[in-house]
Amino acid sequence: SQQGEEDPQALSIQEGENATMNCSYKTSINNLQWYRQNSGRGLVHLILIRSNEREKHSGRLRVTLDTSKKSSSLLITASRAADTASYFCATDSGTASKLTFGTGTRLQVTL
Amino acid sequence: DAGITQSPRHKVTETGTPVTLRCHQTENHRYMYWYRQDPGHGLRLIHYSYGVKDTDKGEVSDGYSVSRSKTEDFLLTLESATSSQTSVYFCAISNGQPQANTFGSGTRLTVV
């Protein structure tokens, strides 16, 4: 079963705009992670936020976590065409750093 | 992807044949994982390993077995491939919490 549900499933924006993706999950977590996947490629880790953190920044990325609502959001500011990819949230809920993934958001950034 | 390689990258096989996918790491990480990715499902965990000869089942383990005889290598075997096992398979590694998984480039398996 999927732990995370992501919203929207697809997002199309113009270069320079901000992109926001949301993730909801079902169980308590140790941490939540966001990954990017370019078409036909493997997943690349973007950012990890621990359950006791509420917000985290990395370059143009901003992640928030609300454990009371079991939700997280990823904001990409000043999007570029190179940000075009699928974005996945993943939760680490137990031992051995096993991840449960959401179904992903496909982001298209046009010039 | 640095430190983790999967082989083969692509494979086409017939229903009923055995198939083994290999994951090799050079990072000396304790944990290794096999995920499969299908449209509409994201990635789902098949099996994982927490040490040499220590493995456990994930969410979608039916029809798959794994082995880890040394730290560097984690093998995924489909004993008798079925069309429902057509998928993209990803290996990942981790050194424990809190740490992200590092993913391989994937193996695209088609069962005809």
Side-chain angles (χ1 to χ4, degrees), chain B residues 5 43 48 81 96:
Chain B
T5 55
L43 278 80
Y48 68 100

Side-chain angles (χ1 to χ4, degrees), chain B residues 13-19 78-85 110-112:
Chain B
T13 192
E14 293 186 349
T15 299
T17 61
V19 177
L78 291 66
E79 300 292 345
S80 178
T82 67
S83 58
S84 64
Q85 294 176 312
T110 302
V111 183
V112 298

Side-chain angles (χ1 to χ4, degrees), chain B residues 33-49:
Chain B
Y33 316 85
W34 279 107
Y35 294 89
R36 61 177 286 175
Q37 183 176 31
D38 303 290
H41 288 278
L43 278 80
R44 293 177 292 176
L45 182 65
I46 304 171
H47 281 279
Y48 68 100
S49 169

Side-chain angles (χ1 to χ4, degrees), chain B residues 14-107:
Chain B
E14 293 186 349
T15 299
T17 61
V19 177
T20 296
L21 308 183
R22 180 178 183 247
C23 178
H24 178 79
Q25 63 148 330
T26 57
E27 303 296 322
N28 200 35
H29 282 187
R30 177 183 177 187
Y31 300 101
M32 299 186 75
Y33 316 85
W34 279 107
Y35 294 89
R36 61 177 286 175
Q37 183 176 31
D38 303 290
H41 288 278
L43 278 80
R44 293 177 292 176
L45 182 65
I46 304 171
H47 281 279
Y48 68 100
S49 169
Y50 48 96
V52 173
K53 298 187 179 178
D54 293 323
T55 64
D56 204 350
K57 297 178 180 179
E59 178 188 352
V60 290
S61 59
D62 287 349
Y64 301 95
S65 63
V66 290
S67 65
R68 190 173 180 194
S69 59
K70 47 186 179 177
T71 299
E72 310 90 88
D73 293 323
F74 193 32
L75 305 181
L76 177 70
T77 297
L78 291 66
E79 300 292 345
S80 178
T82 67
S83 58
S84 64
Q85 294 176 312
T86 292
S87 187
V88 181
Y89 292 86
F90 287 99
C91 178
I93 60 175
S94 169
N95 225 8
Q97 291 184 24
Q99 190 184 74
N101 286 190
T102 300
F103 282 81
S105 299
T107 295

Side-chain angles (χ1 to χ4, degrees), chain A residues 11-63:
Chain A
L11 180 60
S12 183
I13 60 173
Q14 291 191 320
E15 204 172 44
E17 295 180 335
N18 296 341
T20 299
M21 290 159 256
N22 302 296
C23 169
S24 61
Y25 57 92
K26 298 175 184 175
T27 65
S28 60
I29 62 172
N30 298 318
N31 62 72
L32 186 144
Q33 304 173 27
W34 286 89
Y35 290 81
R36 183 186 74 223
Q37 184 180 35
N38 291 90
S39 181
R41 308 293 296 274
L43 279 76
V44 174
H45 175 249
L46 296 176
I47 197 165
L48 180 154
I49 186 165
R50 303 185 192 198
S51 61
N52 61 354
E53 297 176 312
R54 291 297 167 258
E55 188 171 310
K56 202 161 184 180
H57 296 255
S58 177
R60 294 184 296 112
L61 306 180
R62 171 179 171 257
V63 169

